Amino acid sequence: LIISSSASRSFIDKVQKKVKGVTICSVKDIASSSSSGSGVCVFLTPSSKTDYQEARKLAEGGCSTVIVNGLFKDQKSVPQEATMAYFLKPLTYNSQVAGFLVRSYPSQWTVVDASEQSAVLGTFSDKQILVPRTNTPDLREGVRLVQKSADEKAIRARSMQ
């Protein structure tokens, strides 16, 4: 398990107490080593260009690499051929979390209602939701769905009074 280079020492210590049976390190710890080959590396919430560069080096070196909750800001960070496997993003409306965009590969991207988490508001394929030539989801349609759901709930609540 590889933690972002911006993670504090106390955060790494907390993760080490919670997660057993795996090696946990910071990107800072692996940046100077020449890690490659078989195995699986899981990058937890990478936040800098260095984090993504190290993930890419490991993947190109033959290590199966998983990035959890990554937001790819530029096309050079992660190749567009990579698959976003796991993703969770709160979607807000009126300054409150109204839903979530979720991805758990191989399932589609799913927008769920925050107050009724079993309520699926919509699903999207990679082609429908990813910004072209990136791994970044376009959140606009998901936000529209949670806005519509919140508005409909408010209208129903007012009509029942």
Side-chain angles (χ1 to χ4, degrees), residues 1-158:
L1 180 62
I2 302 169
I3 307 294
S4 172
S5 58
S6 63
S8 67
R9 185 74 233 163
S10 65
F11 177 75
I12 294 171
D13 291 342
K14 287 177 186 175
V15 171
Q16 286 176 327
K17 288 178 185 173
K18 297 264 184 198
V19 181
K20 304 292 181 200
V22 298
T23 302
I24 299 171
C25 62
S26 168
V27 169
K28 295 175 206 170
D29 300 332
I30 65 163
S32 59
S33 71
S34 57
S35 301
S36 65
S38 62
V40 176
C41 290
V42 178
F43 278 76
L44 181 60
T45 315
S47 61
S48 71
K49 193 170 199 152
T50 301
D51 293 351
Y52 288 105
Q53 288 169 341
E54 290 303 320
R56 187 174 189 155
K57 279 186 209 173
L58 287 169
E60 289 173 347
C63 182
S64 296
T65 304
V66 177
I67 297 174
V68 178
N69 271 2
L71 292 175
F72 311 131
K73 295 298 182 193
D74 68 52
Q75 296 175 18
K76 297 176 187 162
S77 296
V78 176
Q80 70 184 38
E81 297 82 20
T83 300
M84 177 78 79
Y86 303 102
F87 185 86
L88 175 64
K89 174 76 174 172
L91 302 174
T92 59
Y93 180 53
N94 289 335
S95 302
Q96 295 183 346
V97 174
F100 297 93
L101 176 62
V102 180
R103 173 74 185 273
S104 180
Y105 186 81
S107 297
Q108 296 216 24
W109 295 83
T110 305
V111 177
V112 295
D113 189 296
S115 62
E116 305 169 38
Q117 292 189 3
S118 62
V120 173
L121 302 176
T123 59
F124 303 93
S125 67
D126 283 351
K127 185 173 176 67
Q128 292 171 310
I129 199 165
L130 294 179
V131 175
R133 298 178 306 282
T134 73
N135 285 295
T136 304
D138 183 341
L139 303 177
R140 292 176 293 184
E141 188 58 35
V143 169
R144 277 193 277 278
L145 289 172
V146 298
Q147 287 173 339
K148 181 180 177 190
S149 176
D151 288 345
E152 288 171 351
K153 280 189 258 178
I155 290 168
R156 280 194 307 273
R158 272 188 242 128

